């Protein structure tokens, strides 16, 4: 709400997905839209998933004149293209002239120059990779649709020893990890898909060092590159001694020793009382033995993990100011009198409660 703080009470008056929000759901009304569009977004843009979803729905379900006439460009950047301190983007990211693409689109559909987009692919997307010499990725690609290809939903299980594993070695006894979340000392935001605060692929070590409200999971070093293109999901079995709380997740590219950066790829949050959907309030937690399953939608990316890198996942309960803190009382927002409480939160990782990271991985060629 840049310069629109007077609207905050209006928005906070609708904490769940009710008629107020569905009125603005352009995806649900794609069939009523007759105008085509060129959708332009970036992997670190706060509107990233909305851009993808709007393109897909209008392209497939749009009304006459819109259906089948849309284009998508997904670049590397946040909403504003600004340098980031911890990662160096490849200069080839500017080889696609977005302004020229838009001019051609307007010429085609507004001026009637039907050949203005001849040979221009329906989808252009920039796949990101490590910013080290010879690393795979860091290039523009084209496709006929989104997603650009079929992926394998690869499941990585979380383990009590901090391991993230695509294989299933089994569990010995109960496994859970617990941390304390104090909403008066929230985990600080560092990069990500933001709008007005610094955004992009930041090194998370700067904010994670010394924090006790963080669970860190990593794979073994990769033996070959792994391409993740599409929507990323985390499913956790959780509990708390508070009636309600949040859980956050961050997907990281962890560089080899000697570098060691933990570069943020995508991140998001889920409030426990929304576990049954954003349009209803689920029953509040009864006690620390009340274990429930939540799904954290990290939205989408196109990123190649280089050989020797590790896939990382950070779990916490806050990411402020990117997301408002949960007061842990069952209330929707912190109140003016500061009524908040500390929560003792847990993630469970046993046979009956398999917490997992799910990545859309491009199959390797035979």
């Amino acid at each position: 709400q840049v310069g629109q703080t007077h609207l905050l009470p209006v928005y906070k008056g609708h904490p769940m997905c009710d008629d107020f929000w569905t009125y603005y759901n352009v995806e649900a009304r794609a069939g009523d839209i007759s105008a085509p569009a060129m959708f332009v977004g970036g992997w670190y843009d706060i509107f990233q998933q909305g851009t993808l979803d709007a393109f897909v729905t209008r392209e497939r379900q749009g009304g006459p004149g819109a259906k089948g006439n849309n284009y998508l460009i997904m670049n590397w950047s946040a909403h504003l293209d600004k340098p980031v301190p911890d990662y160096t983007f490849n200069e080839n990211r500017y080889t696609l002239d977005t302004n020229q693409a838009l001019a051609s689109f307007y010429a085609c559909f507004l001026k009637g120059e039907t050949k203005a987009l001849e040979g221009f692919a329906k989808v252009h997307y920039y796949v990101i990779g490590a910013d080290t010499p010879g690393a795979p990725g860091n290039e523009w690609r084209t496709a006929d649709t989104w997603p650009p290809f079929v992926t394998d939903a690869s499941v990585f299980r979380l383990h009590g020893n901090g391991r993230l594993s695509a294989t299933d070695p089994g569990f010995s006894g109960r496994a859970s990890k617990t941390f304390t979340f104090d909403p008066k000392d929230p985990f600080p935001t560092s990069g990500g898909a933001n709008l007005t605060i610094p955004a992009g692929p930041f090194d998370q070590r700067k904010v994670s060092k010394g924090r006790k409200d963080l669970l860190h999971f990593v794979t073994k070093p990769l033996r070959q590159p792994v391409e993740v293109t599409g929507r990323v999901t985390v499913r956790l079995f959780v509990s708390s001694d508070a009636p309600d709380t949040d859980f956050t997740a961050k997907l990281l590219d962890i560089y080899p020793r000697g570098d060691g950066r933990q570069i943020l790829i995508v991140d998001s949050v889920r409030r426990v009382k929304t576990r049954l959907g954003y349009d209803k309030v689920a029953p509040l937690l009864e006690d620390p033995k009340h274990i429930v399953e939540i799904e954290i939608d990290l939205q989408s990316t196109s990123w190649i993990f280089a050989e020797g890198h590790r896939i990382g996942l950070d779990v916490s309960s806050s990411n402020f100011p990117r997301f408002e803190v949960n007061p842990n009382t069952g209330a929707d927002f912190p109140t003016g009198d500061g009524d908040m409480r500390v929560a003792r939160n847990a993630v469970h990782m046993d046979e009956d409660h398999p917490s997992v990271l799910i990545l859309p991985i491009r199959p390797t060629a035979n």
Side-chain angles (χ1 to χ4, degrees), residues 169-233:
F171 297 94
S172 56
R174 293 188 63 83
S176 64
K177 300 192 78 171
T178 306
F179 60 92
T180 299
F181 163 42
D182 183 354
K184 295 182 180 179
D185 180 27
F187 200 100
T189 296
S190 180
N194 305 315
L195 182 60
T196 60
I197 57 178
F202 283 37
D203 184 355
Q204 297 304 293
R205 294 178 301 174
K206 295 180 179 180
V207 290
S208 62
K209 184 177 181 180
R211 299 289 305 198
K212 303 298 183 182
D213 52 347
L214 174 70
L215 303 181
H216 185 62
F217 301 90
V218 296
T219 65
K220 293 181 178 180
L222 300 173
R223 295 183 178 180
Q224 61 184 12
V226 172
E227 180 175 342
V228 175
T229 294
R231 204 148 187 170
V232 178
T233 304

Side-chain angles (χ1 to χ4, degrees), residues 18 136 229 298:
D18 57 14
T229 294
L298 272 65

Side-chain angles (χ1 to χ4, degrees), residues 52-365:
L52 294 169
D53 293 344
F55 164 76
V56 170
T57 53
R58 194 177 303 190
E59 179 70 1
R60 297 177 182 175
Q61 304 164 23
K67 184 177 181 180
N69 289 322
N70 303 277
Y71 293 81
L72 173 69
I73 298 176
M74 288 298 294
N75 63 38
W76 65 93
S77 75
H79 195 70
L80 301 175
D81 181 17
K82 293 183 177 181
V84 295
D86 306 322
Y87 179 96
T88 303
F89 285 104
N90 196 305
E91 286 299 319
N92 70 357
R93 68 191 187 279
Y94 293 117
T95 55
L96 176 65
D97 189 337
T98 301
N99 288 330
Q100 181 57 52
L102 288 167
S104 298
F105 176 83
Y106 296 141
C108 179
F109 290 103
L110 296 180
K111 296 181 179 181
E113 299 175 11
T114 56
K115 293 186 178 181
L117 287 169
E118 192 172 45
F120 191 80
K122 296 286 290 185
V123 175
H124 288 75
Y125 67 101
Y126 191 87
V127 57
I128 313 175
D131 59 346
T132 49
N138 301 309
E139 62 186 18
W140 283 103
R141 294 182 181 175
T142 60
D144 296 327
T145 187
W146 189 265
F149 44 77
V150 176
T151 58
D152 292 331
S154 298
V155 176
F156 293 77
R157 296 186 70 164
L158 282 60
H159 297 272
N161 60 0
R163 180 58 53 83
L164 193 60
S165 174
T167 59
D168 186 6
F171 297 94
S172 56
R174 293 188 63 83
S176 64
K177 300 192 78 171
T178 306
F179 60 92
T180 299
F181 163 42
D182 183 354
K184 295 182 180 179
D185 180 27
F187 200 100
T189 296
S190 180
N194 305 315
L195 182 60
T196 60
I197 57 178
F202 283 37
D203 184 355
Q204 297 304 293
R205 294 178 301 174
K206 295 180 179 180
V207 290
S208 62
K209 184 177 181 180
R211 299 289 305 198
K212 303 298 183 182
D213 52 347
L214 174 70
L215 303 181
H216 185 62
F217 301 90
V218 296
T219 65
K220 293 181 178 180
L222 300 173
R223 295 183 178 180
Q224 61 184 12
V226 172
E227 180 175 342
V228 175
T229 294
R231 204 148 187 170
V232 178
T233 304
V234 172
R235 292 179 184 157
L236 302 177
F237 285 89
V238 302
S239 62
S240 177
D241 65 356
D244 183 44
T245 192
D246 288 348
F247 284 87
T248 63
K250 297 178 180 179
L251 177 66
L252 310 174
D253 185 338
I254 301 179
Y255 284 55
R257 291 181 180 178
D259 184 321
R261 281 176 290 167
Q262 299 180 8
I263 296 298
L264 175 60
I265 302 173
V266 286
D267 63 342
S268 195
V269 65
R270 190 67 186 256
R271 184 150 294 189
V272 173
K273 71 178 182 180
T274 69
R275 63 187 181 275
L276 300 182
Y278 290 105
D279 59 344
K280 66 191 75 169
V281 176
L284 298 181
L285 301 179
E286 301 168 359
D287 55 54
K289 296 181 180 180
H290 186 185
I291 301 174
V292 297
E293 184 179 8
I294 64 171
E295 180 173 292
I296 308 176
D297 176 11
L298 272 65
Q299 301 191 344
S300 299
T301 190
S302 185
W303 187 287
I304 300 180
F305 293 86
E307 180 182 351
H309 287 227
R310 293 181 294 164
I311 299 171
L313 178 70
D314 278 358
V315 175
S316 185
S317 283
S318 53
N319 183 353
F320 183 80
R322 172 158 162 70
F323 302 109
E324 177 64 280
V325 295
N326 191 322
N328 297 329
T329 62
D332 294 316
F333 307 101
T335 56
D337 59 8
D339 183 20
M340 296 189 288
R341 57 159 289 178
V342 173
R344 185 74 171 167
N345 294 341
V347 175
H348 300 267
M349 298 160 282
D350 56 55
E351 289 290 357
D352 295 326
H353 307 97
S355 294
V356 298
L357 163 69
I358 305 173
L359 296 179
I361 293 179
R362 184 173 191 171
T364 55

